[in-house]
Amino acid sequence: MDDFTGLRRNMVDCQLRTYDVTDRAVLAAADIVPREAFVPVSLQHLAYLDQPIALPGTGRALMTPMVIARMIQVLDLQPGEAALEYGGASGYGAALMARMGAKVTLWEPDAAARAFAETALKSAGAAEVAIAAAPPPADSFDVILVSGACETSPQTLFPLLRAEGRLIAVEGIGRSARVKLYRKSTDIVAGRPVFDAAAPALSEFRRPEAFVF
């Protein structure tokens, strides 16, 4: 057992399981996918800590392992489903979902993060994950994982959901943030809060600054 294998097992047992992550498929994926592949070599010592990791040279960061794992659990991802990770930085969430048997696309508008993801996914054995720089077609996905905090509702992503599709995102910044699960029924998308959690902010879902006289 190498050092990272031990750290990965400790992450699963001491972070994920204690954060109500109980789904066997999620835990198995987290126990196998090498999170250290999704950060630069200089930051690999941080890969399994309970903290977000900013990716140098990009505008993105990885969410904490326990938050992303619990979000995927709430999505109730099934093998063979079409899944999208939006804003996933280097693609750790996409790799987890691919390991669970989903057909996964990573849509990352940040060019520097997207370039890093191409290398990271191959290194982690998840080369089957498709990487998109532009919006995918409408009605393409059964599930969407938004990997970052949104000050405004990520409703621009709703058209990408198929009927009965699910989208999960962290809404709010800081201590007021909550994870919200949306479901699409025909053309109606309704959401409900599922648990409290914080995540690094996605700049494209920041609330516009109000003009002050």
Side-chain angles (χ1 to χ4, degrees):
M1 179 182 292
D2 62 33
D3 290 343
F4 286 125
T5 300
L7 290 171
R8 192 155 52 248
R9 181 63 52 81
N10 187 66
M11 175 194 75
V12 169
D13 290 341
C14 299
Q15 295 180 40
L16 274 55
R17 292 183 188 276
T18 60
Y19 196 57
D20 294 330
V21 179
T22 58
D23 185 276
R24 291 183 179 180
V26 176
L27 293 171
D31 194 36
I32 294 172
V33 173
R35 186 171 164 88
E36 70 274 10
F38 295 90
V39 295
V41 173
S42 62
L43 297 179
Q44 286 185 342
H45 62 289
L46 303 176
Y48 294 99
L49 297 182
D50 177 21
Q51 65 181 51
I53 303 175
L55 296 183
T58 78
R60 300 301 201 201
L62 294 183
M63 294 192 292
T64 61
M66 63 185 190
V67 171
I68 197 166
R70 191 168 172 186
M71 289 172 73
I72 293 173
Q73 174 175 271
V74 171
L75 281 171
D76 191 26
L77 181 67
Q78 300 300 310
E81 286 192 311
L84 174 71
E85 183 181 24
Y86 176 84
S90 52
Y92 177 66
L96 290 175
M97 294 191 292
R99 185 71 193 183
M100 294 170 65
K103 300 176 182 177
V104 186
T105 298
L106 170 67
W107 176 18
E108 178 48 84
D110 186 297
R114 189 170 63 251
F116 190 88
E118 292 177 357
T119 301
L121 287 165
K122 291 177 182 177
S123 175
E128 73 274 21
V129 173
I131 300 176
D139 303 316
S140 292
F141 301 104
D142 300 298
V143 299
I144 298 177
L145 169 67
V146 183
S147 289
C150 308
E151 279 191 293
T152 60
S153 172
Q155 57 188 345
T156 54
L157 300 177
F158 292 167
L160 302 181
L161 284 173
R162 295 171 176 168
E164 306 307 321
R166 296 93 68 199
L167 179 149
I168 197 164
V170 178
E171 294 195 4
I173 303 297
R175 295 182 178 179
S176 64
R178 305 186 76 182
V179 174
K180 196 167 183 179
L181 175 68
Y182 290 90
R183 291 185 180 272
K184 184 176 185 179
S185 178
T186 315
D187 292 326
I188 299 174
V189 180
R192 63 180 178 86
V194 285
F195 64 94
D196 296 341
L202 294 172
S203 59
E204 55 268 51
F205 291 113
R206 283 279 195 182
R207 183 176 293 110
E209 293 186 10
F211 181 76
V212 179
F213 289 94

